[in-house]
Amino acid sequence: MPTRDFVVVRDVPYKDVKSALTQWIALYADQLSQQLRFHLYRQDAYHVISVDGELNNELFFFLVNYLKYPENIRYDVDVAGFTTGDASGKLEGQDVLVYIPEEDTEYDVVYVVTGAQAHYKIDFGGGMHPLKEGRTYTDAAVDFSGSPEVLKVSKRISDKTVRKGISFFEVGWRFKFMVALVLAALIIHFLLPSIINDPKLYDKTSTLLYFGVGMWFFMDAEMLQKDSRYLACLVIAFAIFVYGFHVKEQLQSRLTNRIEPFIIMPLTLLMLQWPSRRLYKLLFKREPAVDKKGKFADMVYSLVLVFGAIFLPFLIVDFLKEHF
């Protein structure tokens, strides 16, 4: 039988649960006891992760959240964690069910309900907000029979996992790298007129810069799932918009008249992505996919984004030129 903490994971392959758990252990290895053990039980309809050892509520909340939103693993999963409130907060001594509802759009939170049916939303900034309703607390009817796979906390495994699965390719690091790359590209683009005197080359680099930012937003759909990163991308797109039209006015002779659609591509894609993604989640109760692994609905969603990134900017520019 498990100790105080265990998590029930449904609607996902065993290998993905193991991968997500292994990544989380790697991320938090420095905060975990080397004696801690995670027992992973494989069942037909669900899988169970039990914690053999002491894990404080904060880390347990992080674990539940990460299993819902793992890096570099695409799935739609139901996660329910069961624990007892520790002395670090208002939940001390209470039975607690930890979950994340399908309609969540914040990503850095967990929702809890106590055995007395008190509901809270806990954000990772330390806030604990009472709620009027939520999931009903019920004891977990799960099967712990069989021989579980045991995952240990070891620096050797952690370092290997970080190198292979997280580091640069983790969404947060990838986002920072691309922001730095776009900033560097803008600086180089700004300096190009004083370095080269080739209008055709400058025109091509301008098109590549604006189109490239739009394609970054399109290809890295996982990045846009977090509201703070979406807003940061919106700021970048607006900055591209202002910069692009300023440069066009200053260097009209070096640019073609068709550069305007490329300037607004990043902005139109984001403006179309925001309502489209929320409508998709409302209809299908999961995040859309924009890769070849997606279903027909994902292909339709991808085509909507392609329209927003490539065709809509030309339609907008042509409309404005015709009527204003």
Side-chain angles (χ1 to χ4, degrees):
M1 286 294 293
T3 55
R4 187 188 68 180
D5 305 313
F6 63 95
V7 184
V8 182
V9 185
R10 300 180 186 274
D11 306 322
V12 66
Y14 178 85
K15 64 179 181 62
D16 288 340
V17 177
K18 180 180 176 182
S19 295
L21 176 59
T22 302
Q23 287 184 9
W24 184 83
I25 294 173
L27 282 170
Y28 291 92
D30 292 338
Q31 301 179 47
L32 301 175
S33 167
Q34 295 294 304
Q35 284 69 48
L36 203 61
R37 299 290 182 268
F38 295 86
H39 293 182
L40 185 51
Y41 295 82
R42 184 200 301 258
Q43 306 295 352
D44 292 333
Y46 57 85
H47 310 297
V48 184
I49 300 168
S50 70
V51 184
D52 184 6
E54 289 297 322
L55 190 67
N56 64 44
N57 282 172
E58 182 180 44
L59 287 172
F60 186 76
F61 296 159
F62 290 165
L63 172 60
V64 173
N65 179 274
Y66 193 87
L67 290 171
K68 178 70 174 180
Y69 304 120
E71 302 286 1
N72 307 310
I73 301 174
R74 186 186 297 281
Y75 60 33
D76 185 28
V77 62
D78 178 74
V79 182
F82 294 83
T83 187
T84 302
D86 59 27
S88 62
K90 299 178 181 178
L91 302 174
E92 182 177 3
Q94 301 183 66
D95 294 329
V96 176
L97 164 60
V98 186
Y99 67 98
I100 299 173
E102 286 295 326
E103 61 271 18
D104 172 58
T105 59
E106 297 182 56
Y107 301 102
D108 289 333
V109 300
V110 292
Y111 291 70
V112 303
V113 53
T114 69
Q117 306 301 332
H119 303 274
Y120 303 94
K121 180 176 71 173
I122 299 176
D123 64 62
F124 292 164
M128 184 172 178
H129 313 283
L131 300 174
K132 293 182 179 179
E133 58 183 13
R135 186 179 297 188
T136 302
Y137 182 93
T138 55
D139 292 329
V142 295
D143 182 8
F144 292 96
S145 63
S147 300
E149 184 172 0
V150 180
L151 300 183
K152 301 179 181 180
V153 180
S154 87
K155 201 62 180 175
R156 178 182 61 82
I157 295 177
S158 299
D159 289 343
K160 180 180 178 181
T161 303
V162 170
R163 287 196 303 271
K164 285 188 174 182
I166 303 170
S167 64
F168 168 75
F169 295 101
E170 184 263 337
V171 176
W173 280 103
R174 192 167 68 238
F175 174 75
K176 293 176 183 177
F177 174 82
M178 289 303 300
V179 169
L181 186 63
V182 170
L183 180 60
L186 283 171
I187 294 173
I188 294 172
H189 183 265
F190 178 77
L191 296 175
L192 272 182
S194 61
I195 299 174
I196 63 173
N197 189 27
D198 186 342
K200 290 185 178 180
L201 178 60
Y202 190 74
D203 185 65
K204 291 179 180 178
T205 58
S206 300
T207 302
L208 180 62
L209 171 62
Y210 307 136
F211 182 77
V213 174
M215 287 302 97
W216 167 38
F217 294 161
F218 174 77
M219 297 299 296
D220 206 348
E222 187 178 3
M223 168 189 68
L224 299 177
Q225 292 175 9
K226 187 171 182 179
D227 289 345
S228 60
R229 293 194 190 112
Y230 176 88
L231 291 174
C233 289
L234 197 61
V235 171
I236 293 171
F238 185 75
I240 291 285
F241 174 84
V242 174
Y243 170 80
F245 279 99
H246 174 74
V247 169
K248 181 182 180 299
E249 291 300 318
Q250 297 297 316
L251 302 171
Q252 182 72 42
S253 61
R254 290 184 177 233
L255 297 170
T256 73
N257 290 327
R258 300 301 290 173
I259 196 67
E260 298 98 328
F262 295 97
I263 295 173
I264 67 174
M265 273 183 181
L267 196 58
T268 55
L269 184 143
L270 291 179
M271 292 177 66
L272 197 58
Q273 186 269 352
W274 193 90
S276 299
R277 173 173 166 262
R278 277 152 181 78
L279 178 61
Y280 186 103
K281 290 186 65 178
L282 180 65
L283 293 175
F284 301 103
K285 308 301 181 183
R286 66 180 178 88
E287 288 288 351
V290 292
D291 55 29
K292 62 183 180 181
K293 298 179 181 179
K295 300 179 181 179
F296 178 77
D298 301 302
M299 182 182 69
V300 174
Y301 174 82
S302 299
L303 290 175
V304 170
L305 294 190
V306 169
F307 175 79
I310 298 178
F311 299 106
L312 184 60
F314 285 92
L315 295 176
I316 292 175
V317 170
D318 288 343
F319 176 83
L320 292 177
K321 285 186 176 181
E322 183 178 346
H323 292 86
F324 295 95

